[in-house]
Amino acid sequence: MQSFIQGVVDGYIIFLFFEGLLLFSLIRNGKKSRKKNLKT
């Protein structure tokens, strides 16, 4: 049971890490400029 909880916690930490990277890139680039890049 404890190993299962440890796996869930590890997965959640990785998820938060990637979510933070995504949020940081959105803030750094700006949402409007990101949409312009997708159109072109």
Side-chain angles (χ1 to χ4, degrees), residues 23-36:
L23 193 69
F24 177 73
S25 65
L26 278 172
I27 291 168
R28 195 167 55 95
N29 294 332
K31 291 178 182 177
K32 290 180 181 177
S33 65
R34 192 175 175 86
K35 285 181 181 177
K36 287 180 182 176

Side-chain angles (χ1 to χ4, degrees), residues 2-3 5-11 13-15 17 19-20 24-30 32 35-36 39:
Q2 194 170 0
S3 62
I5 294 169
Q6 189 69 38
V8 171
V9 170
D10 287 346
I13 288 169
I14 292 167
F15 170 74
F17 175 72
E19 194 74 17
F24 177 73
S25 65
L26 278 172
I27 291 168
R28 195 167 55 95
N29 294 332
K32 290 180 181 177
K35 285 181 181 177
K36 287 180 182 176
K39 285 182 179 178

